[in-house]
Amino acid sequence: MSVIQSIEQLESMYNKPGIRASNKSLTALDKHCRRFIDLSPFVIISSVGSNGDLDCSPRGGAPGVVTVLDDKTILMPDRPGNNRLDSFHNLIETGKIGLLFLVPGIDETLRLNGSVELRTDSELLEKCIEQDKQPKLVVYVKVEEVFLHCAKALMRSKLWSDESRVERNVMPTMGKMLKEQLQSEDPAETQEDMIKRYEKSLY
């Protein structure tokens, strides 16, 4: 087994990045970044705790689920989830966040890194009311780095193509998988019951 053990060894295997790739990183949102965020209904949060524990978590809503306050600040509401709070533990511990924005039909993605606070200011919560529901808190991000990421990964995966879609029944229901993973004796929740339960607590 050959293990790459140094940055120098790694970089020797690749060509130098082109000027465009090297220089595309911005420190504030321009009109294209703002438009991308406005169109995005889905974003992935990456975080790390003070002990090095990592987390990657999805967030979704109507397009514009993340609000742009200004060129250096964005606001993400916390909608009801599973209450594990893994990402939030990390964000409090290190104050750092990475975000990946996706827009259905667009193969490019938008990457954003920044410093973060979890806030409960009433004026910020009011900006994030949806379905007449106000979030418990908002993720308040100060932009440090933002850039468009090339389309190659989504082109290879054909993520938005109909031919890439799979039927839900290629895997067991969530209820069946959890029953096996938890070695539970309780009956498995059906897909229909799960969806009904989720629909009552989306906001």
Side-chain angles (χ1 to χ4, degrees), residues 1-37:
M1 180 176 67
S2 298
V3 178
I4 297 170
Q5 297 180 323
S6 70
I7 299 298
E8 292 76 17
Q9 184 182 2
L10 171 68
E11 291 186 346
S12 70
M13 299 170 60
Y14 293 87
N15 295 326
K16 294 289 185 183
I19 293 176
R20 187 167 69 171
S22 298
N23 296 344
K24 67 181 179 180
S25 178
L26 306 174
T27 58
L29 303 172
D30 70 353
K31 64 180 182 180
H32 303 298
C33 296
R34 294 178 71 127
R35 179 61 172 156
F36 202 103
I37 293 172

Side-chain angles (χ1 to χ4, degrees), residues 145-196:
E145 180 184 40
V146 60
F147 56 93
L148 291 162
H149 192 96
C150 79
K152 290 179 181 177
L154 272 72
M155 289 173 64
R156 284 190 289 258
S157 65
K158 300 180 181 179
L159 186 63
W160 309 128
S161 172
D162 286 343
E163 66 187 271
S164 296
R165 291 181 61 88
V166 299
E167 297 298 326
R168 179 62 188 84
N169 61 13
V170 302
M171 289 192 68
T173 64
M174 183 72 155
K176 288 181 179 178
M177 289 188 284
L178 285 176
K179 177 178 172 62
E180 292 182 11
Q181 291 175 344
L182 300 176
Q183 299 181 354
S184 172
E185 295 181 359
D186 295 331
E189 183 181 40
T190 67
Q191 190 76 4
E192 293 75 19
D193 286 344
M194 184 197 73
I195 291 172
K196 288 178 182 177

Side-chain angles (χ1 to χ4, degrees), residues 135-154:
K136 291 181 184 293
L137 60 82
V138 293
V139 181
Y140 185 88
V141 181
K142 298 301 289 187
V143 177
E144 296 177 350
E145 180 184 40
V146 60
F147 56 93
L148 291 162
H149 192 96
C150 79
K152 290 179 181 177
L154 272 72

Side-chain angles (χ1 to χ4, degrees), residues 89-108:
H89 288 180
N90 288 346
L91 298 181
I92 287 174
E93 289 179 6
T94 64
K96 293 294 185 180
I97 192 170
L99 299 171
L100 181 70
F101 292 89
L102 287 86
V103 177
I106 295 179
D107 284 341
E108 289 78 20

